[in-house]
Amino acid sequence: MYVIVILALIAGFLALRLYSVLGKRTGHEQEPALRPAEDRAKVTVLHPRPVTDMPGDSVRLADGLIASGGEAGVRALIAADRSFDVPQFVEGAKSAYKMVLEAFWRGDRAELEWLCDADVLASFEEAIAQREAAGHVLDNRLVRIEKAQIVDASVNGRIAEVSLRFEADIAAVTRDHDGNVVAGSLTDAVGTNDIWTFTRDLRSTDPNWKLSETDEAA
């Protein structure tokens, strides 16, 4: 009898572990190089969890996810959009950071158009064109994201903006047409510090946030 109970508990534990791994999308799955427009429209990169009654102060619940200078802006954003959830937004932003970098590295203009606004897209497309003209191919890898933290947020009319600081390790290699290494190394990751700003029209039915600005962190 005890053996049956123990086996039942083990089976229940394994089922929960499988659900935690397979039952939800983390944003780190392999993305196809190209997807039909109707499929891309169904994907939400930074969709905050709908909340009908937010218990307590969601800013206090996000310990470590907001820099001290960004707290006031986050409070203003939550006041304008009660569904905004800090932890889920930061996780979504990390996924978007990975997706944008990988799309840029492989020169996927269609993916970048979906993820970025017009100005950022134009900058990426110019860099991709210069790279292609030189006959270079990027063989980069995002090793890890060490830190993602909201440093600023604001609401101007109906437009919300959130800026995050990303600290990441990237292995960067540039190759020529023949696959020869022109610069970089896959064995030595380089630390990067960036400030990325995401923007969304709060009155829009589109729940996605788009990358509207990139800059190096001081």
Side-chain angles (χ1 to χ4, degrees), residues 59 61-67 74 86-88 90-91 94 148-151 164:
V59 176
L61 294 177
D63 291 341
L65 297 182
I66 308 172
V74 171
V86 173
Q88 188 154 344
V90 172
E91 283 303 309
K94 288 164 67 176
Q149 185 181 54
I150 296 175
V151 296
L164 300 94

Side-chain angles (χ1 to χ4, degrees), residues 100-209:
V100 170
L101 287 179
E102 291 180 347
F104 172 67
W105 293 337
R106 66 177 179 263
D108 190 338
R109 294 172 173 83
E111 186 83 351
L112 291 171
E113 182 178 4
W114 170 60
L115 294 165
C116 308
D117 74 1
D119 291 339
V120 174
L121 176 63
S123 297
F124 280 142
E125 287 181 330
E126 181 180 357
I128 291 171
Q130 292 175 354
R131 187 171 76 216
E132 291 173 342
H136 291 165
V137 176
L138 297 184
D139 185 16
N140 295 357
R141 301 287 187 274
L142 176 60
V143 178
R144 69 181 63 85
I145 298 176
E146 296 283 359
K147 184 177 183 180
Q149 185 181 54
I150 296 175
V151 296
D152 194 16
S154 64
V155 179
N156 298 310
R158 56 192 289 176
I159 304 301
E161 289 188 352
V162 182
S163 298
L164 300 94
R165 179 188 181 104
F166 290 98
E167 297 178 9
D169 293 329
I170 295 175
V173 171
T174 301
R175 301 182 185 274
D176 61 18
H177 270 311
D178 298 322
N180 300 313
V181 176
V182 176
S185 170
L186 283 176
T187 59
D188 296 321
V190 177
T192 62
N193 293 279
D194 299 314
I195 301 292
W196 283 22
T197 299
F198 295 92
T199 305
R200 177 176 177 264
D201 185 340
L202 295 179
R203 297 182 188 176
S204 173
T205 56
D206 184 356
N208 293 302
W209 294 68

Side-chain angles (χ1 to χ4, degrees), residues 24-26 44-51 58 61-62 65 83-96 150 164 209:
K24 57 185 179 181
R25 179 179 176 85
T26 64
T44 299
V45 180
L46 298 174
H47 189 188
R49 181 176 66 251
V51 178
S58 66
L61 294 177
L65 297 182
S83 71
F84 184 81
D85 180 84
V86 173
Q88 188 154 344
F89 180 88
V90 172
E91 283 303 309
K94 288 164 67 176
S95 294
I150 296 175
L164 300 94
W209 294 68

Side-chain angles (χ1 to χ4, degrees), residues 7-112:
L7 290 176
L9 290 174
I10 292 174
F13 172 76
L14 291 175
L16 287 174
R17 291 295 297 167
L18 283 172
Y19 174 78
S20 68
V21 174
L22 303 177
K24 57 185 179 181
R25 179 179 176 85
T26 64
H28 293 284
E29 294 88 348
Q30 180 67 31
E31 292 290 331
L34 290 173
R35 290 177 297 193
E38 60 270 19
D39 290 341
R40 292 202 305 272
K42 298 175 183 176
V43 180
T44 299
V45 180
L46 298 174
H47 189 188
R49 181 176 66 251
V51 178
T52 56
D53 185 15
M54 192 175 292
D57 189 334
S58 66
V59 176
R60 288 201 304 269
L61 294 177
D63 291 341
L65 297 182
I66 308 172
S68 58
E71 290 182 2
V74 171
R75 292 179 190 276
L77 176 52
I78 292 174
D81 180 8
R82 297 295 294 176
S83 71
F84 184 81
D85 180 84
V86 173
Q88 188 154 344
F89 180 88
V90 172
E91 283 303 309
K94 288 164 67 176
S95 294
Y97 182 77
K98 179 177 185 289
M99 292 171 68
V100 170
L101 287 179
E102 291 180 347
F104 172 67
W105 293 337
R106 66 177 179 263
D108 190 338
R109 294 172 173 83
E111 186 83 351
L112 291 171

